[in-house]
């Protein structure tokens, strides 16, 4: 018996058992108190039930008829107005999980003719997407062909179109979840898209097509797989920056690695290392998000929050679906919790280029200090046109360098306001360079020849900024050097730090946290003549939460009266940090 596989299945059974009562007679889903339901939730439920059926062969759970519930949810999704391709795609894959053809699918047999005709019509209709929604088109095409609703299979063409977009928007083959803004919205949705498309292909009736498309997917999935050794923290924290991290930052990464192991995309000599990464990712997910007493996923409470559009119900059904998939995949790859072999921890600094062109350069700087345990992710990427602290260019390290989830605040970044333009040295760069400095230190520098505002619009004609980060052990320093092209009035200058605590219940003793000495921040040079404001206590403010715990204090370094900036002069801000890093259980 594979204990990891059985453990995943037990957790899925528990999660579904706690949430099946929320499914109404018409197939819609009742939200938990304080949340509003999403229009695509019935589709997520149908896919979770389908994967549970695939993993166990069971048609009942705690007195519920899963075939009937799946049929109700698929019907509700089919008749949701306005129609959502995301929910329909999840519902389509859920339907396929119960059988590869209409004649051998118990859920299809339960659907009335009106629902079947509606599904047929909706699966045929599709829009063209530049972002992760293209994965939903692939899933709909897989279902339509596999169920025999169409003799023409569009799956291959749609995957190729998705790949063309990747090549157009990334010079190195990473997924740009295209949104408004400067472009280059490189985030967790790239992993999610590849995982979702691979799961859809696994359900395709034509195994020959699946085998033909796997090398195409491998080209891009491998890039994310190779990120994981430097991305995943020692305690198992996975993807931490950008929207929708948190529980999904664990789940998508686990699925990607298990799929890669199943498909042979990870060499045999690398497998022990990746098994260890998987073990840490899973254990962090298990300890940090699962209510072990009651057996359901807890993503939002008094102390922490989640991505604004993610409901607790959706997260629970998604987690149950993933756990069922992990259970099957773990058996295929013979993974147990003892399979991994941890590699010696080394101090590393690495800049992963997501896109490099004449217009912009973007990427992710990953740093780990072996001695102190400091490990962070510093993204230089678009925020999708709506700036929040989740995607700003500072070291993201939950417990050490925290930030408010879904909220804008210039964390560890100088915010310069010129009239209506609030500018930040985030979102894009040019001439990005990283390398080794003195005494085994690392540096990462870039420049912005034109300043950019929080709407990700280039503010032409004002000036430029050069940024340099230096990392040595647990010491971090940053210098921001501004020059202006013409005399201009700076209306306001601001930089913020936040201090929080880990969750009182959902946490690991091995996770890093700030000790009593805090960040030990020093302002080394300040040509803006700002001052530290009185520390703001935000413990009672529900906005100030992270995916991992509660924020209590905001420290702001502010100049709130005008400064006339003149051409020919360099205005520098240099700050240093030496965080007092300790472990929660120390």
């Amino acid at each position: 018996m594979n204990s990891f596989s059985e453990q995943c299945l037990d957790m899925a059974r528990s999660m579904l058992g706690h949430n099946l009562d929320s499914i109404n007679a018409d197939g819609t889903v009742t939200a938990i108190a304080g949340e509003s339901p999403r229009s695509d939730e019935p589709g997520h439920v149908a896919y979770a039930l389908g994967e549970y059926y695939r993993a166990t062969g069971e048609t009942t759970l705690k007195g519920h008829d899963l075939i009937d519930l799946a049929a109700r949810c698929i019907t509700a999704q089919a008749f949701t107005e306005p129609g959502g391709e995301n929910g329909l795609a999840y519902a389509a894959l859920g339907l396929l999980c119960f059988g590869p053809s209409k004649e051998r699918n118990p859920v299809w047999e339960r659907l009335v003719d009106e629902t079947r005709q509606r599904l047929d019509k909706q699966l045929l209709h599709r829009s063209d997407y530049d972002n992760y929604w293209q994965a939903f088109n692939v899933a709909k095409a897989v279902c339509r062909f596999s169920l025999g609703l169409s003799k023409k299979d569009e799956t291959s063409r749609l995957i190729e179109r998705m790949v063309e977009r990747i090549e157009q928007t990334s010079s190195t083959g990473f997924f740009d979840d295209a949104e408004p803004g400067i472009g280059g919205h490189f985030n967790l949705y790239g992993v999610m898209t590849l995982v979702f498309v691979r799961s859809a292909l696994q359900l395709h009736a034509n195994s020959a097509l699946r085998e033909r498309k796997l090398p195409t997917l491998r080209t891009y999935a491998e890039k994310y797989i190779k990120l994981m050794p430097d991305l995943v923290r020692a305690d198992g924290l996975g993807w931490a920056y950008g929207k929708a991290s948190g529980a999904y930052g664990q789940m998508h990464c686990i699925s990607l690695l298990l799929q890669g192991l199943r498909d042979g995309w990870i060499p045999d000599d690398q497998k022990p290392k990746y098994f260890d990464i998987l073990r840490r990712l899973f254990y962090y997910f298990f300890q940090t998000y699962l209510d072990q007493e009651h057996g359901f996923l807890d993503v939002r409470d008094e102390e922490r929050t989640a991505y604004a559009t993610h409901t607790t119900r959706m997260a629970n059904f998604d987690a149950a679906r993933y756990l069922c998939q992990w259970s099957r995949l773990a058996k295929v790859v013979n993974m147990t919790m003892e399979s991994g072999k941890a590699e010696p921890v080394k101090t590393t600094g690495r800049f992963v280029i997501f896109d490099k062109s004449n217009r912009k350069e973007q990427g992710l700087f990953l740093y780990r200090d072996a001695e102190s345990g400091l490990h962070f992710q510093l993204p230089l990427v678009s925020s999708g046109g709506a700036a929040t602290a989740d995607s700003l260019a500072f070291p993201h390290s939950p417990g050490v360098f925290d930030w408010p989830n879904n909220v804008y605040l210039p964390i560890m970044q100088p915010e310069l306001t010129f009239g209506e333009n609030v500018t930040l040295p985030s979102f894009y760069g040019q001439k990005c360079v990283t390398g080794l400095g003195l005494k085994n230190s690392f540096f990462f520098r870039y420049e912005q020849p034109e300043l950019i505002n929080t709407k990700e619009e280039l503010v032409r004609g004002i000036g430029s900024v050069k940024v340099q980060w230096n990392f040595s052990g647990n010491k971090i320093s940053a210098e921001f050097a501004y020059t202006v092209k013409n005399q201009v009035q700076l209306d306001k200058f601001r930089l913020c730090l936040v201090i929080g605590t880990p969750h009182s219940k959902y946490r690991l003793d091995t996770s890093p946290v700030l000790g009593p000495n805090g960040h030990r921040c020093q302002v080394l040079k300040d040509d803006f003549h700002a001052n530290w404001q009185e520390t703001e206590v935000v413990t009672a403010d529900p906005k100030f939460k992270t995916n991992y715990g509660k924020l209590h204090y905001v420290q702001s370094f502010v100049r709130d009266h005008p400064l006339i900036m003149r051409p020919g002069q360099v205005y520098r801000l240099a700050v240093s940090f030496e965080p007092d890093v300790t472990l929660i259980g120390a």
Side-chain angles (χ1 to χ4, degrees), residues 229-236 273 276-277 279-280 341-349 367-376 442 473 510 583:
D230 290 327
L231 182 91
V232 178
R233 207 164 64 177
D235 63 343
K273 175 173 73 175
D276 179 64
I277 293 170
R279 178 189 61 79
R280 286 186 280 132
K341 181 183 178 184
E343 292 204 326
V345 179
K346 299 177 182 176
T347 297
T348 57
Y367 177 77
R368 173 175 55 221
D369 176 45
E371 186 177 346
S372 68
L374 179 63
H375 190 162
F376 61 73
F442 293 85
T510 54
L583 299 181

Side-chain angles (χ1 to χ4, degrees), residues 39 77-88 118 122 125 129 133:
S39 63
Q77 194 64 65
F79 286 95
T80 296
E81 292 291 351
E85 293 197 48
N86 50 352
L88 193 64
R118 176 92 172 184
Q122 287 191 322
H125 173 266
Y129 294 107
W133 279 55

Side-chain angles (χ1 to χ4, degrees), residues 262-505:
R262 186 260 320 270
D263 293 329
W265 296 349
I266 296 174
D268 287 343
D269 63 330
Q270 298 280 307
K271 284 183 178 178
K273 175 173 73 175
Y274 280 97
F275 279 138
D276 179 64
I277 293 170
L278 268 171
R279 178 189 61 79
R280 286 186 280 132
L281 282 166
F282 180 80
Y283 194 62
Y284 191 93
F285 167 73
F286 180 78
Q287 291 282 3
T288 311
Y289 294 103
L290 189 74
D291 183 325
Q292 295 169 35
E293 183 180 348
H294 301 101
F296 61 84
L297 204 68
D298 193 350
V299 295
R300 191 180 279 112
D301 58 27
E302 292 299 314
E303 296 182 51
R304 68 174 173 198
T305 189
Y307 184 44
T309 61
H310 285 173
T311 66
T312 300
R313 289 280 186 229
M314 188 185 88
N316 270 268
F317 283 110
D318 282 353
R321 177 187 93 234
Y322 270 145
L323 285 161
C324 292
Q325 292 176 341
W326 300 345
S327 176
R328 288 186 298 100
L329 290 168
K331 287 180 182 176
V332 173
V333 303
N334 294 317
M335 178 188 168
T336 66
M337 294 305 267
E338 295 76 38
S339 302
K341 181 183 178 184
E343 292 204 326
V345 179
K346 299 177 182 176
T347 297
T348 57
R350 172 188 174 203
F351 183 59
V352 181
I353 298 171
F354 289 158
D355 185 37
K356 187 171 185 175
S357 66
N358 291 331
R359 190 172 76 91
K360 64 179 175 66
E361 295 178 26
Q362 292 166 315
L364 176 65
F365 187 82
L366 299 167
Y367 177 77
R368 173 175 55 221
D369 176 45
E371 186 177 346
S372 68
L374 179 63
H375 190 162
F376 61 73
Q377 304 165 20
L378 196 164
L380 185 60
V381 297
S382 166
S383 191
T388 64
D390 305 271
S391 297
L392 298 185
F394 68 89
H396 291 65
S397 182
V400 182
F401 296 116
D402 280 309
W403 66 97
N405 190 242
N406 307 319
V407 174
Y408 169 74
L409 204 65
I411 306 292
M412 300 173 71
Q413 293 260 288
E415 173 197 85
L416 276 65
T417 301
F418 302 94
E420 295 181 352
N421 287 301
V422 181
T423 67
L424 281 168
S426 284
F427 313 128
Y428 90 105
Q430 287 189 8
K431 299 180 181 177
C432 296
V433 180
T434 185
L436 280 169
L438 298 172
K439 298 181 181 178
N440 294 324
S441 65
F442 293 85
F443 67 84
F444 170 50
R445 62 173 175 255
Y446 61 94
E447 59 184 69
Q448 291 183 344
E450 300 285 355
L451 300 183
I452 188 168
N453 64 22
T454 52
K455 298 176 185 175
E456 295 188 29
E457 301 163 336
L458 292 177
V459 186
R460 301 188 185 279
I462 290 183
S464 62
V465 60
K466 294 182 178 180
V467 180
Q468 173 149 339
W469 290 89
N470 295 294
F471 313 101
S472 178
N474 70 328
K475 297 176 183 176
I476 299 175
S477 63
E479 182 178 273
F480 307 89
Y482 285 84
T483 55
V484 294
K485 298 175 182 178
N486 300 293
Q487 184 169 303
V488 65
Q489 177 175 299
L490 171 69
D491 296 308
K492 186 178 179 181
F493 170 94
R494 180 171 67 143
L495 176 146
C496 297
L497 291 175
V498 294
I499 298 176
T501 53
H503 200 283
S504 58
K505 177 182 176 184

